[in-house]
Amino acid sequence: MPDLPPWSYRIQYLGEVTYPGNYEIGLAVRSVDSGSVHYELAVFRGGTCLGVAEAIGPRGKLRASHLPSPPAEP
C-alpha cells in the first residue's frame, strides 16, 4: 500500500528496464506476522525476468478503499 512504505528491501537486477516499455509486475506475500508483511516481487518483459526483489513492511490495517472491487456483471 502506498501509505505503508517498506522498512527494508533487497533487489537483484537480471536485465535492463528501458522507458518506454511494457512490463508485467508480479507480487506475492511470502509471510505475515504480528507486525510485518514479507513480499516477493518480480519484473518481467515477455517471458524474461528482469529483476526480483524482497521487501518487508508494516502490516497496517486494510481499509475498505484497498479491497478489490467485485467483477462487473456482463
Side-chain angles (χ1 to χ4, degrees):
M1 289 183 256
D3 53 344
L4 297 174
W7 293 326
S8 68
Y9 54 90
R10 182 176 58 175
I11 300 171
Q12 180 180 2
Y13 297 99
L14 304 172
E16 187 174 338
V17 175
T18 59
Y19 178 83
N22 293 317
Y23 302 95
E24 294 181 13
I25 299 173
L27 169 70
V29 175
R30 185 175 62 197
S31 64
V32 178
D33 58 36
S34 63
S36 63
V37 179
H38 299 247
Y39 301 94
E40 294 178 342
L41 305 100
V43 176
F44 298 91
R45 180 176 50 223
T48 304
C49 181
L50 300 174
V52 293
E54 297 177 11
I56 301 171
R59 184 171 173 175
K61 292 186 178 184
L62 188 61
R63 296 188 305 262
S65 63
H66 293 124
L67 297 175
S69 301
E73 293 188 27

